[in-house]
Amino acid sequence: MQLRESNIRQLTEQTFDTLVIGAGINGASAAAALSGKGSSVALIDRGDFAGSTSMHSSNLVWGGIKYMESGDFKLVRKLCKSRNHLIRSYPSTVQEIRFLTTIDKGFRHHPLYPWAGTWLYWLMGSAFTRMPHFLRPGAIKARESIIDTSNAQGGFEYSDAYLHDNDARFVFSFVRNALDFGAMVANYVESLGSRREGDVWVTQVRDGIDGRTFEIRSRVLINAAGPWVDEHNRLTQQPTDHHHVFSKGIHLIVPRLTPNKRVLAFFADDGRLFFVIPMGRRTCIGTTDTRVDSPDVSVTEDDIRFVLDNINKRLELDSPLTSEDIISTRCGVRPLAVKPSGGNDRDFLNLSRKHAIDIDPNSYHLSIFGGKLTDCLNVGEEVVAEVRQLGIDMPYPEHRWYGEPDEAVREDFMHQASRMGLDSMTHPDASEPLSTRLWRRYGRQALELLEDIRLDPEQAQVLIEGTEYLRCELKLARRSEMVTKLDDFLRRRSKVSLVVSEATLHASPGLMEACRILFDDQAEQRLAEYWQSRQALPRGEAAEEAG
C-alpha cells in the first residue's frame, strides 16, 4: 500500500489543475487524458477503481446495434467508430468476435429484416469487421449445436468486439496510465463535498481506511461519480441539465457451455437482446433490464429465475441450468442520462447509454452522465477539450494517452519471452500461452515479470488453483496496482472471484500465500475482512460471488 499512502500525502501538497471524483471508466479515461496532455490531475474514488458499474458490464465493446431499431443512427455511427478505434488501439485486449443471433417464430420481425439491419450496421462501421451472413436454422445448428432451433425461423451472424479479460482490468489500465503520467491517484478516498473559494475548489475528503479527513484543492472539479453523480452535485449545490435514471442488469457466470469463441444472441421473452458470452473456461449469460430508483442493488431470486428460464428455453443442454450451476454473479446499474423534460416518459428500455457532459463555465465544474466502455476514448478527448476551454494549459496537446505500447516494445517482450522459454512454463489447463496473456494484461510492465521469473522460475507458477494468475503477478499488483483490500485483486485487478466458486476459493491453500504477498503482516486481517464482507452481502451476491 506504499503507493497509495505516498499519493495521499501528496494530495494535500499542491493545487491541482483538476480533481476527478470517481474512478469508473468515465473518471479513469478523463484522468488519463488530462494527465497525458500534461495537466496536473488528482483522481479519487470512495471505493476501489471500477468498483461499481464499470465492473458489472457484459464485457462487450459494441457499436450499439440495438439502437438501430429506434433510429438513433448518429449514436450508432459514433459508437462503431469508437469500437473500431479501440480494436486498433488495444489489439491484445479488444478483439473482434462473431455474434450468432437466432430469431424464433412469432418474433416481431422476419429474420431478413434484422439481417438487412446488420448490413447497414456493418456499413456504418466502415466495413471494419467481417461481413454479416444470413443463416437458416440448419446452418445455425451446424455452427452451434447447443442452440435449440426447433422454433427458429432463421438468424444471422455479424461482428462486434469484446474484452478478452475483464472490464475492471481494462478500466484500471487507464488509472495506471494516469499514474504513469504523474497523476495523484488514490482509492478508498471519499469526497464529503466541495466548495468554491475564489478561483479554487476545496474538496473535503475522508480516507476510508483510517478515517482521516483532509482537503484537496483544484482549479477544476470533475464529477465522474457514475451512478452517484446526482448525489455529489447535491453535496456541492451544483445544478445540471441532466440527471440519471437507473437500469439494473445482472449476469450469471456458469461452467463453459460451448468451446466455440462466439457470442450467442437471442431475444428474451421481454423482447430484449439476451447473450451467452465466452469467458475463458466459463460462460457469462444475461442480462436483465429492470428500472430501479437507487444504484444500490443486489441479485434477487426473480433475476436468477429470469436468466435461467430464458437460457434453458433457447439451448439444448445435457441438463437444464439450475442455480447449482452458478459460479458467480454480476449485478450493477446502468446510469442513463436524461433531461427532466425528456427521459422519464420515454420507453425505459429504449433509453441509450450515450454520455452527456454538463459544464458550468462560471464555477469550472463538469459533470459526466451516462456513458459506456465503448465510448471511453471519446469521453477522455471531450473532457480535455472542455477543460482547455476553461483556460487550463495542456503542455502536450498532441500526446497519445491511450493504447498499447509501440509494436517495438511488444516485439522486445516476445523475443525475451521466447529466449527464456516462457511459454513452456504455461500451466497445462491454461487457455492461452503465458506470453500472450502477460502482454495483454500488463503491456510494458510485463518486462518486469520476465525479470522476476528469470531470477526465480517459481514466480511463473499458478498461485490460486483454478485460475491463471502467477506469483509474479501478485508481486506486481502489490508494487504498482494499489491493491488495498483483497477484493480489489480477486474481483477487479483479476477475475478470480468471477471464475472460481467461493467454496473452491475458501479451500485454496494459495489464497493465504497471495494475501501474504499483497499485505505482509496484515494478511490474516485482510483475509478475515474479505470473508466477513462476503457474509454481509445479500444472498444473490454472497452465495454466487458477485463483485
Side-chain angles (χ1 to χ4, degrees):
M1 294 173 60
Q2 291 180 341
L3 176 60
R4 178 179 181 274
E5 291 168 355
S6 172
N7 281 4
I8 285 178
R9 284 195 301 271
Q10 295 182 70
L11 284 173
T12 64
E13 295 176 355
Q14 69 179 92
T15 297
F16 295 91
D17 289 333
T18 306
L19 169 62
V20 181
I21 297 174
I25 188 58
N26 288 340
S29 59
L34 289 165
S35 56
K37 303 290 186 183
S39 178
S40 64
V41 177
L43 172 66
I44 61 172
D45 195 292
R46 69 178 181 182
D48 189 30
F49 312 120
S52 181
T53 294
S54 295
M55 73 172 187
H56 293 303
S57 77
S58 299
N59 274 24
L60 301 179
V61 178
W62 59 329
I65 193 171
K66 72 175 185 177
Y67 305 134
M68 297 283 289
E69 190 171 10
S70 59
D72 202 345
F73 299 123
K74 183 178 179 181
L75 176 62
V76 172
R77 171 63 176 161
K78 181 179 180 181
L79 291 176
C80 282
K81 290 172 66 177
S82 300
R83 176 204 63 195
N84 298 348
H85 193 21
L86 284 170
I87 292 173
R88 286 191 295 263
S89 301
Y90 295 92
S92 301
T93 301
V94 183
Q95 299 176 347
E96 180 178 348
I97 192 169
R98 297 295 272 178
F99 282 62
L100 197 166
T101 304
T102 303
I103 306 295
D104 287 335
K105 297 172 184 176
F107 184 64
R108 59 184 180 270
H109 300 299
H110 188 278
L112 289 173
Y113 182 83
W115 173 65
T118 65
W119 276 92
L120 179 58
Y121 184 65
W122 181 67
L123 292 170
M124 293 178 73
S126 304
F128 183 79
T129 59
R130 293 165 57 193
M131 289 189 299
H133 295 293
F134 181 78
L135 302 172
R136 300 189 183 280
I140 294 173
K141 194 72 172 178
R143 278 172 165 79
E144 201 63 70
S145 61
I146 66 170
I147 297 177
D148 183 354
T149 57
S150 60
N151 193 43
Q153 290 189 80
F156 47 88
E157 194 173 56
Y158 69 98
S159 287
D160 255 312
Y162 85 126
L163 293 172
H164 196 289
D165 257 321
N166 62 329
D167 43 13
R169 178 84 214 172
F170 183 63
V171 173
F172 183 76
S173 71
F174 291 98
V175 176
R176 185 63 252 177
N177 281 353
L179 283 162
D180 291 341
F181 295 139
M184 291 299 112
V185 177
N187 51 2
Y188 298 100
V189 174
E190 179 181 7
S191 170
L192 303 178
S194 307
R195 66 186 186 276
R196 191 77 177 164
E197 291 186 356
D199 60 355
V200 171
W201 280 102
V202 179
T203 302
Q204 185 82 6
V205 302
R206 177 171 55 222
D207 186 333
I209 302 303
D210 64 15
R212 290 177 298 167
T213 60
F214 56 94
E215 293 180 342
I216 303 173
R217 302 172 68 84
S218 63
R219 296 171 62 192
V220 177
L221 185 66
I222 298 180
N223 180 358
W228 294 276
V229 165
D230 295 307
E231 178 182 309
H232 196 272
N233 281 336
R234 285 191 291 271
L235 284 176
T236 59
Q237 299 181 336
Q238 186 70 37
T240 56
D241 292 333
H242 292 83
H243 69 277
H244 277 145
V245 294
F246 305 112
S247 167
K248 183 178 82 168
I250 78 151
H251 299 84
L252 307 182
I253 314 300
V254 298
R256 188 168 64 183
L257 300 180
T258 170
N260 298 317
K261 189 177 174 181
R262 60 164 62 92
V263 175
L264 308 184
F266 307 93
F267 287 90
D269 292 345
D270 62 4
R272 192 185 44 76
L273 277 169
F274 186 85
F275 300 110
V276 176
I277 305 165
M279 185 183 278
R281 292 179 295 169
R282 305 294 186 226
T283 295
C284 177
I285 54 177
T287 177
T288 58
D289 206 343
T290 309
R291 182 162 186 169
V292 292
D293 296 326
S294 165
D296 300 307
V297 293
S298 61
V299 181
T300 68
E301 296 292 345
D302 287 343
D303 295 329
I304 293 173
R305 191 177 307 112
F306 173 86
V307 174
L308 292 178
D309 286 350
N310 273 280
I311 202 60
N312 285 326
K313 287 179 183 178
R314 290 159 176 83
L315 299 183
E316 289 184 331
L317 303 172
D318 292 337
S319 58
L321 289 173
T322 71
S323 59
E324 299 301 315
D325 296 302
I326 299 171
I327 297 167
S328 64
T329 65
R330 315 178 94 167
C331 177
V333 295
R334 307 171 187 92
L336 306 171
V338 299
K339 290 188 174 182
S341 59
N344 294 328
D345 296 329
R346 284 186 61 187
D347 178 359
F348 178 70
L349 294 179
N350 285 331
L351 288 175
S352 76
R353 297 286 305 280
K354 63 184 176 183
H355 69 269
I357 303 177
D358 282 5
I359 302 110
D360 184 344
N362 296 319
S363 65
Y364 285 47
H365 186 281
L366 282 70
S367 300
I368 307 176
F369 293 89
K372 57 189 298 179
L373 289 168
T374 310
D375 217 16
C376 61
L377 301 187
N378 290 330
V379 169
E381 294 290 356
E382 289 172 26
V383 166
V384 166
E386 296 296 348
V387 172
R388 289 185 71 182
Q389 284 285 94
L390 295 175
I392 303 300
D393 184 36
M394 302 288 166
Y396 311 107
E398 304 303 319
H399 185 77
R400 188 171 184 261
W401 52 273
Y402 56 85
E404 294 183 13
D406 293 339
E407 183 62 24
V409 181
R410 181 183 181 278
E411 289 179 358
D412 182 35
F413 168 78
M414 290 298 178
H415 178 69
Q416 291 190 40
S418 176
R419 291 294 303 272
M420 64 187 288
L422 180 68
D423 287 345
S424 66
M425 305 177 194
T426 305
H427 192 277
D429 295 333
S431 60
E432 60 186 340
L434 263 181
S435 59
T436 301
R437 189 166 76 239
L438 295 183
W439 173 257
R440 185 184 65 251
R441 288 179 182 166
Y442 304 104
R444 191 183 306 274
Q445 285 188 301
L447 290 162
E448 298 178 32
L449 301 180
L450 295 185
E451 186 64 23
D452 288 342
I453 294 169
R454 285 193 195 97
L455 293 173
D456 178 10
E458 288 189 0
Q459 296 300 310
Q461 293 177 355
V462 171
L463 186 56
I464 302 174
E465 296 79 358
T467 73
E468 297 187 42
Y469 292 89
L470 313 180
R471 281 189 172 86
C472 58
E473 292 182 81
L474 271 294
K475 290 188 173 183
L476 180 62
R478 173 183 171 147
R479 288 196 302 268
S480 64
E481 297 191 350
M482 215 172 292
V483 174
T484 305
K485 299 182 179 181
L486 182 56
D487 200 41
D488 300 344
F489 178 78
L490 293 180
R491 178 61 178 83
R492 288 175 287 277
R493 308 302 180 274
S494 76
K495 55 184 178 183
V496 168
S497 66
L498 279 177
V499 300
V500 177
S501 71
E502 188 166 298
T504 300
L505 194 58
H506 211 300
S508 169
L511 184 59
M512 177 52 76
E513 184 179 347
C515 287
R516 291 195 182 100
I517 293 173
L518 291 170
F519 305 116
D520 283 338
D521 56 358
Q522 295 184 357
E524 292 187 5
Q525 176 188 346
R526 294 299 180 203
L527 183 59
E529 287 174 354
Y530 176 75
W531 291 125
Q532 186 176 12
S533 71
R534 310 308 300 161
Q535 294 172 0
L537 288 172
R539 182 260 172 203
E541 295 186 48
E544 279 88 41
E545 274 278 334

